[in-house]
Amino acid sequence: MARTTLQARDLWADIQTLRERRPLVHSITNVVVTNFNANVLLAAGASPVMTQAHEELEDMVAIAQALVINIGTLDAYAVEAMTIALRAANARGVPVALDPVGAGATAYRNRTLAALLAAGRPTAIRGNASEIMSLAGEAVATRGVDSSAGTEAALAPALALAANHGAVVCVSGAVDHVVAPDGRVLRLDNGHEWMTRITGVGCSLTALVGAFCAVQPDAWRATAAATALMGVAGEIAAEQARARGAGVGTMAALLVDALQLVDEAGFLARARIVDD
Amino acid sequence: MARTTLQARDLWADIQTLRERRPLVHSITNVVVTNFNANVLLAAGASPVMTQAHEELEDMVAIAQALVINIGTLDAYAVEAMTIALRAANARGVPVALDPVGAGATAYRNRTLAALLAAGRPTAIRGNASEIMSLAGEAVATRGVDSSAGTEAALAPALALAANHGAVVCVSGAVDHVVAPDGRVLRLDNGHEWMTRITGVGCSLTALVGAFCAVQPDAWRATAAATALMGVAGEIAAEQARARGAGVGTMAALLVDALQLVDEAGFLARARIVDD
Amino acid sequence: MARTTLQARDLWADIQTLRERRPLVHSITNVVVTNFNANVLLAAGASPVMTQAHEELEDMVAIAQALVINIGTLDAYAVEAMTIALRAANARGVPVALDPVGAGATAYRNRTLAALLAAGRPTAIRGNASEIMSLAGEAVATRGVDSSAGTEAALAPALALAANHGAVVCVSGAVDHVVAPDGRVLRLDNGHEWMTRITGVGCSLTALVGAFCAVQPDAWRATAAATALMGVAGEIAAEQARARGAGVGTMAALLVDALQLVDEAGFLARARIVDD
């Protein structure tokens, strides 16, 4: 029986490090999730900053410990901002997390992603199964920004994408897959279906991937820590919401609470790393 | 005594259909309410997507089941995006819900609305009394984006507006009026005053109108279903908030909860269709 | 022993006036905090409107009772919008609250702030210690949008800034300092550390400063009222959240609740004006 090389206690150590170091995370993200993403980063222990102004991107990247690029809402100005910031981050060795929101949904998104991946190298890419499959060149039916495929079907495309771009790839869904360019695979089985009913949870996971890459140099492990933390917090929030007869509106606030308050015992009791 | 042609159980049937079909709703909306609107759509059962990128508007409208246009925060790029998307939706038969935020407040808003209504035809228009009266050509004192008039005063202008543009018109307020181009009028008496103290509730109702138009071809009935659902959910949320000594901050989350969780018995017990 | 000239009951009177008059507050603010700022203004009793469209800025300022300018997320269009609106407000005597988000973090922010202060005069400026020190011309280590200095160190720079620009200056932090161009200083000791873990609390305080300036002609007293209200509401929200084992996600909603619901007895029991 295969043994995973990461244990839940490794991921917990990274969560503690994030809370202690409070890295500055610069996000260029979509207008739907700015507020929620910033609150997720603050709750988890990071310090968010968001700007697209071309005049200050290099200055901001220079003081940031991570960059997050999210293509949820695009225009020419934002695409150029992402390109400038990506290049600056690569030049300085600042880790970059990329969220290919809606990859496959329109030709424009596909072109933009191809141009970004030609301009620089993300450290980690986080998407749902449809997005990762599309980005890996698979023909996939998409439906706006929600996934139309399961994560298992995206595993092989994710491995190819990771190898081609030298980036960690996270496919999030009912079971999350975190794959490295060298072929390492980690499966995480946390979360709750209601997480798909709150806008920006996926985008916020990508933001957390950036934050963890700021404090953990192994991007595969950093991405796993972010994914486990979000999954565990989502479970806690869903349980708490349902226990009081509440729904996804209340759960969104409880998710932020759990990101801030989950402790070692609570995390270790829930984090489920699935052996192959 | 006049009889209404719609019963609460008809509207409940549409709510169930929305939850089953999960239509993709493309919104071009203002930067204040993006997150709340997306969460409202997700809670009610729809799948939101938001983009203004001219390069992908036609592709996105082509996969959407409804389009929502909200003029709350404008610039030249957004206005052109709305125009492109409106024309594409009209060409494809995709229903369009229009929110004329702040109509009458500035000459620019009035010009923009006139240009949009010249460029295409919305399926439904949802506004407060001031906005609908202004859009119908009445001289009305406005005050930013909040209404300065009661809904009863807007009934005749709403009927004229509906007939002129071939669109359903919803005037929301203490009592909501839903009027059709053929003169049908439905009055709904749900909601709570605190709904006016949460930003984006009106905009979110317009988003729900779009979502219901995606699953119910009679736009008058679809608009009534959206209005009744929002009114009932607002009542539930206000009651729950007040029962625990909370205010409008907590109520906003409870409103999203109620949109997701309200069941048949709860809806039918509360929905108040007012006979003429 | 020095005596302060303002008592908590003076500030409470202003809170009551705000609730009664419901002034229209026009904000040009950053894309991260639009929704939260609008909900804070609504909860406190004001009526928010947000637009950057150059075509309508003068019309909107003409019907507004206050203008709020926040440089959190900039581009050339937004900067021009802020300049137009600031000049229009100055010309009409509409009070202006300025939030110099991230002052000192990048050269672009510094240039933009210098240009704004050359184009017009804010009535009040609200920032954290790093921002106020930077704006006053002090060399200060900054870290994105969070402060790296204590408020006490910013007192002298704040007094110089106030005198130079004829504006009230509020330095918010563990203890808040509100200083007037004529040298009056008020220290307020309310709030909770968790307020720094919710995005937009500082920006929302600036929005409240604008709202209070709309109803209280003494801008120093108006700024003190806004600061005391936010501090008291933050304390209440943090206590309530912690009492139920919740975190900063739940606290954000409770903060909005407290802004709406705090009553005279609750406010007077908590508001702590610190004598020199």
Side-chain angles (χ1 to χ4, degrees):
Chain A
M1 187 180 185
R3 298 282 302 278
T4 57
T5 53
L6 283 180
Q7 306 298 326
R9 63 177 171 273
D10 301 321
L11 307 181
W12 175 253
D14 293 338
I15 294 168
Q16 281 186 298
T17 305
L18 180 66
R19 290 176 178 179
E20 286 158 13
R21 291 212 205 145
R22 309 189 69 74
L24 186 65
V25 179
H26 175 197
S27 297
I28 302 179
T29 191
N30 71 73
V31 296
V32 183
V33 304
T34 45
N35 188 269
F36 189 66
N37 272 21
N39 278 328
V40 161
L41 286 169
L42 281 166
S47 177
V49 68
M50 296 186 182
T51 177
Q52 301 193 3
H54 296 181
E55 294 87 342
E56 67 177 357
L57 284 170
E58 300 202 11
D59 287 353
M60 202 61 92
V61 170
I63 58 171
Q65 278 87 50
L67 173 69
V68 179
I69 292 175
N70 177 305
I71 69 156
T73 53
L74 293 170
D75 57 30
Y77 190 86
V79 172
E80 193 177 338
M82 292 174 188
T83 306
I84 295 169
L86 173 59
R87 284 181 173 143
N90 280 182
R92 289 179 171 275
V94 174
V96 180
L98 173 67
D99 195 320
V101 182
T106 68
Y108 176 59
R109 284 174 193 246
N110 297 347
R111 285 200 309 274
T112 300
L113 286 166
L116 285 171
L117 290 173
R121 191 182 70 78
T123 311
I125 302 170
R126 200 290 318 167
N128 63 34
S130 292
E131 291 161 347
I132 296 301
M133 291 170 75
S134 170
L135 200 56
E138 305 270 319
V140 56
T142 64
R143 189 165 173 288
V145 295
D146 295 325
S147 184
S148 58
T151 54
E152 199 61 40
L155 179 56
L159 282 162
L161 185 68
N164 283 345
H165 292 283
V168 169
V169 175
C170 173
V171 188
S172 54
V175 173
D176 306 308
H177 295 70
V178 182
V179 310
D182 61 10
R184 286 175 294 171
V185 175
L186 193 77
R187 287 184 177 80
L188 291 156
D189 188 12
N190 285 106
H192 188 278
E193 185 269 337
W194 279 14
M195 294 169 79
T196 65
R197 303 286 294 274
I198 301 169
T199 198
V201 170
C203 300
S204 294
L205 171 52
T206 306
L208 287 179
V209 168
F212 278 92
C213 285
V215 299
Q216 168 52 256
D218 177 350
W220 179 64
R221 174 171 160 170
T223 302
T227 305
L229 175 60
M230 183 59 93
V232 165
E235 276 182 27
I236 293 170
E239 274 180 27
Q240 290 179 340
R242 293 170 69 100
R244 64 173 81 163
V248 291
T250 296
M251 181 181 154
L254 293 170
L255 176 60
V256 174
D257 288 356
L259 290 168
Q260 176 196 8
L261 298 177
V262 64
D263 61 12
E264 182 172 6
F267 180 80
L268 295 179
R270 285 179 183 272
R272 284 188 291 279
I273 296 178
V274 185
D275 283 308
D276 284 322
Chain B
M1 188 180 184
R3 297 283 302 279
T4 57
T5 54
L6 283 178
Q7 306 298 324
R9 62 176 170 273
D10 301 320
L11 307 182
W12 175 253
D14 293 338
I15 293 168
Q16 282 186 298
T17 305
L18 179 66
R19 291 176 177 179
E20 286 158 14
R21 292 211 203 146
R22 308 190 68 74
L24 187 65
V25 178
H26 175 196
S27 297
I28 301 179
T29 190
N30 71 74
V31 296
V32 184
V33 303
T34 46
N35 188 267
F36 189 67
N37 272 21
N39 278 329
V40 161
L41 286 169
L42 281 166
S47 177
V49 67
M50 295 185 183
T51 177
Q52 300 192 3
H54 296 181
E55 293 89 340
E56 69 177 356
L57 284 169
E58 298 202 11
D59 287 352
M60 202 61 92
V61 169
I63 58 172
Q65 277 87 50
L67 173 69
V68 179
I69 292 175
N70 176 306
I71 69 156
T73 54
L74 293 170
D75 57 31
Y77 190 87
V79 172
E80 193 177 339
M82 293 173 187
T83 307
I84 295 169
L86 173 60
R87 284 182 174 140
N90 280 182
R92 288 178 171 276
V94 173
V96 180
L98 172 67
D99 194 320
V101 181
T106 68
Y108 176 59
R109 284 173 193 248
N110 296 347
R111 287 199 307 274
T112 300
L113 286 166
L116 285 171
L117 290 172
R121 191 183 68 79
T123 311
I125 302 169
R126 201 287 322 165
N128 62 35
S130 291
E131 291 160 348
I132 296 302
M133 291 169 75
S134 170
L135 200 56
E138 304 270 318
V140 56
T142 64
R143 190 165 172 287
V145 296
D146 294 325
S147 183
S148 59
T151 53
E152 198 60 42
L155 179 57
L159 282 161
L161 185 67
N164 284 345
H165 292 282
V168 169
V169 174
C170 173
V171 188
S172 54
V175 174
D176 306 307
H177 295 71
V178 182
V179 310
D182 60 11
R184 286 176 293 172
V185 175
L186 193 75
R187 287 185 178 79
L188 291 155
D189 187 12
N190 286 106
H192 188 278
E193 185 268 338
W194 279 12
M195 296 170 77
T196 65
R197 302 285 295 274
I198 302 170
T199 198
V201 170
C203 300
S204 295
L205 170 53
T206 306
L208 287 178
V209 168
F212 277 92
C213 285
V215 300
Q216 168 52 257
D218 177 351
W220 178 64
R221 174 170 159 170
T223 302
T227 305
L229 176 60
M230 183 58 93
V232 165
E235 275 182 27
I236 293 170
E239 276 180 24
Q240 290 179 341
R242 292 169 70 99
R244 65 173 80 162
V248 291
T250 295
M251 181 182 153
L254 293 170
L255 176 60
V256 175
D257 288 356
L259 290 168
Q260 176 196 8
L261 298 178
V262 65
D263 62 11
E264 182 172 6
F267 179 81
L268 295 180
R270 285 180 183 271
R272 284 188 292 278
I273 297 177
V274 185
D275 282 307
D276 284 322
Chain C
M1 185 181 184
R3 296 283 302 279
T4 58
T5 53
L6 283 179
Q7 306 297 326
R9 63 177 170 272
D10 300 320
L11 307 181
W12 175 254
D14 293 337
I15 294 169
Q16 280 187 299
T17 305
L18 181 66
R19 291 177 177 178
E20 285 158 13
R21 292 211 203 145
R22 309 191 68 75
L24 187 64
V25 178
H26 174 198
S27 296
I28 302 179
T29 190
N30 71 73
V31 295
V32 183
V33 303
T34 45
N35 188 269
F36 189 66
N37 271 22
N39 278 327
V40 161
L41 286 169
L42 281 166
S47 177
V49 67
M50 294 185 184
T51 177
Q52 301 193 3
H54 296 181
E55 293 88 342
E56 68 178 358
L57 284 170
E58 299 202 11
D59 287 353
M60 203 61 92
V61 170
I63 59 172
Q65 278 87 50
L67 173 68
V68 179
I69 292 176
N70 176 306
I71 69 157
T73 54
L74 292 170
D75 58 30
Y77 190 87
V79 173
E80 192 175 340
M82 292 173 188
T83 307
I84 295 168
L86 173 60
R87 284 181 175 143
N90 279 181
R92 288 178 171 276
V94 174
V96 181
L98 172 67
D99 195 321
V101 181
T106 68
Y108 176 58
R109 284 174 194 247
N110 296 346
R111 285 199 309 274
T112 301
L113 287 166
L116 285 170
L117 291 173
R121 192 182 69 78
T123 311
I125 303 171
R126 200 288 321 165
N128 62 35
S130 290
E131 291 160 349
I132 295 302
M133 290 169 76
S134 170
L135 200 56
E138 305 270 319
V140 57
T142 64
R143 188 165 173 286
V145 294
D146 294 325
S147 184
S148 58
T151 54
E152 198 61 41
L155 180 56
L159 282 162
L161 185 68
N164 284 345
H165 292 283
V168 169
V169 175
C170 173
V171 188
S172 53
V175 174
D176 306 307
H177 295 70
V178 182
V179 309
D182 59 11
R184 286 176 293 171
V185 176
L186 193 75
R187 288 183 177 81
L188 291 155
D189 187 11
N190 286 107
H192 188 278
E193 185 268 339
W194 279 12
M195 295 168 78
T196 65
R197 302 284 296 273
I198 301 170
T199 199
V201 170
C203 299
S204 295
L205 170 52
T206 307
L208 288 179
V209 168
F212 278 92
C213 285
V215 300
Q216 168 52 257
D218 177 350
W220 179 65
R221 174 171 160 170
T223 302
T227 304
L229 175 60
M230 182 59 92
V232 165
E235 275 182 28
I236 294 170
E239 275 180 27
Q240 290 178 342
R242 292 170 70 99
R244 66 172 81 164
V248 292
T250 296
M251 181 181 153
L254 293 171
L255 175 61
V256 174
D257 288 356
L259 290 168
Q260 175 196 8
L261 299 177
V262 64
D263 61 10
E264 182 173 5
F267 180 80
L268 295 180
R270 285 180 183 272
R272 283 189 292 277
I273 296 178
V274 185
D275 282 308
D276 284 320

